[in-house]
Amino acid sequence: MTRGSVQREIVRKKFKKGPAVEIPVATITGVKDGPTFVFMAGMHAGEYAGIKAAQKLIQSTTPGMLKGRLIVIPVISTRAFMMRNMQLSPVDQREVHYYVPGSPDSSYTEFQVDVLWSIIKDATFLIDTHAGEFAQALMPWVPVPMVGTRRTQDASVAIAEGYGVEYIELRRARERIPGLAIYLAERGIANVWAEIGKNGLPTPEDIALHYDGAVAALQTAGMLSGAPPRPKHKYIGNRRVAINAAQSGVWYPAIKEGDIVERGQYLGELRNYFGDVLDTYRAPFRGIVLYYWSSSAINHRRRPHGYDWHSGLVSIASLAEDD
Ligand SMILES: [Zn+2]
């Protein structure tokens, strides 16, 4: 890419066993040399705050202000986006975040991840934006995959430290880190996945948290001028529990995202169609509600590829101060 240029394209690749993958990409190449930084959004198609932050980044970044190259992908899963599909691929019901490049013939989602990798593979830094889906009320926080070399981990943490969110999570349990984030970190790409926004609502505040976090990260990388902000953060701990329903029903949550719940605290109940209580749920330990399903409809039987997306009720993490 020539210095001092802006390029926009829709990368289009035909999958032989299904529909084409189409990914919009804006590449802004600075007038001065520097690293390559990827900002991407819309992997999960109803997570809109990051998508609008990506658009703002494309509109507001010029080659004249930039050292290095900024690649912005406003919507990774365009097919899901235009179908208003939640979380899982509308083509094969897979969860994009947990697949890695290298098996493009296996499924549509793996083909899509392969196409994505061809766009982002030269990055030194990467921000992947997420949020709560339509059915999911989520508190803003920035998880960091603590895998790869110490140097990569430090660079990933430095990206997270510029975000204006209350909580950062240094996630070390490998089995709980999305596969793509591990894949990137182990190839020396410092990365975070920022969870900001909820219920498919792109509020100005959440868009700003994503956008300002990206600008701070570009400053941290030395690609934009100015000192990045370093707000004080609290830390999410290592314990995690996903409270899931063991049967289908109508969900009555009694907590909110960001609530700190005590051990044994009542979280809500599941009722049948007539309103009789089927089950009640309590917190197994003191922790913070990262998100809960705000959708009343809980379908225990719908588990595509084993995902508990439709039977999830509450996700609770410990606080680092309690670990
Ligand atoms: Zn997501």
Side-chain angles (χ1 to χ4, degrees):
M1 230 68 66
T2 41
R3 272 191 196 175
S5 69
V6 177
Q7 189 196 322
R8 294 173 180 184
E9 63 176 324
I10 309 283
V11 174
R12 188 176 192 282
K13 296 263 165 64
K14 181 77 183 81
F15 180 52
K16 59 185 175 210
K17 293 183 265 182
V21 166
E22 291 182 346
I23 303 179
V25 184
T27 304
I28 302 150
T29 307
V31 290
K32 292 183 181 156
D33 288 337
T36 295
F37 198 117
V38 170
F39 185 86
M40 61 188 201
M43 172 186 288
H44 301 136
E47 300 176 356
Y48 295 142
I51 292 172
K52 293 196 169 175
Q55 294 195 323
K56 188 174 176 188
L57 200 58
I58 294 168
Q59 296 289 328
S60 65
T61 310
T62 61
M65 62 171 75
L66 192 66
K67 278 185 195 161
R69 189 167 43 144
L70 173 62
I71 298 171
V72 185
I73 305 173
V75 183
I76 295 168
S77 301
T78 45
R79 182 164 295 273
F81 177 79
M82 287 303 178
M83 289 181 74
R84 297 179 178 168
N85 210 78
M86 273 191 285
Q87 193 85 9
L88 307 179
S89 166
V91 178
D92 60 18
Q93 298 296 304
R94 289 173 202 274
E95 220 288 24
V96 181
H97 214 174
Y98 288 84
Y99 286 89
V100 297
S103 311
D105 296 330
S106 298
S107 67
Y108 179 80
T109 291
E110 283 158 284
F111 180 74
Q112 183 189 353
V113 168
D114 233 58
V115 176
L116 178 64
W117 174 243
S118 74
I119 300 164
I120 66 178
K121 61 181 170 43
D122 296 328
T124 303
F125 305 98
L126 183 144
I127 292 173
D128 182 17
T129 71
H130 289 265
E133 279 279 9
F134 300 100
Q136 193 183 23
L138 175 143
M139 68 160 230
W141 93 103
V142 179
V144 184
M146 299 301 282
V147 291
T149 64
R150 180 65 194 267
R151 193 178 156 182
T152 301
Q153 292 180 28
D154 288 349
S156 298
V157 172
I159 292 175
E161 284 176 335
Y163 273 85
V165 295
E166 195 176 355
Y167 285 93
I168 288 176
E169 178 185 3
L170 306 180
R171 197 176 292 187
R172 300 177 196 281
R174 192 182 171 89
E175 67 280 6
R176 288 199 291 101
I177 301 174
L180 188 60
I182 294 175
Y183 189 88
L184 297 171
E186 291 187 339
R187 279 151 192 81
I189 302 176
N191 74 98
V192 302
W193 72 103
E195 297 275 9
I196 300 166
K198 62 170 190 170
N199 292 117
L201 294 170
T203 65
E205 294 77 18
D206 290 333
I207 296 167
L209 278 173
H210 275 298
Y211 175 80
D212 294 346
V215 170
L218 286 160
Q219 289 173 326
T220 300
M223 295 173 66
L224 285 179
S225 63
R230 281 292 181 264
K232 212 164 165 37
H233 293 107
K234 297 174 190 168
Y235 288 84
I236 301 291
N238 295 316
R239 290 183 78 186
R240 180 68 49 91
V241 64
I243 312 279
N244 287 339
Q247 55 191 320
S248 297
V250 182
W251 167 227
Y252 283 73
I255 37 72
K256 291 245 177 309
E257 75 280 8
D259 280 358
I260 292 181
V261 294
E262 299 299 329
R263 182 177 172 189
Q265 185 173 328
Y266 173 68
L267 302 172
E269 62 196 30
L270 193 70
R271 301 186 190 178
N272 65 15
Y273 283 129
F274 304 101
D276 305 323
V277 176
L278 297 171
D279 237 331
T280 60
Y281 305 92
R282 293 186 181 275
F285 54 82
R286 174 185 151 83
I288 189 163
V289 176
L290 294 176
Y291 50 85
Y292 72 97
W293 272 263
S294 48
S295 165
S296 302
I298 302 300
N299 186 345
H300 169 64
R301 289 215 180 83
R302 192 171 170 200
R303 295 175 74 87
H305 306 287
Y307 297 131
D308 57 7
W309 172 249
H310 297 278
S311 60
L313 302 173
V314 188
S315 175
I316 298 172
S318 63
L319 298 166
E321 65 199 45
D322 293 336
D323 279 358

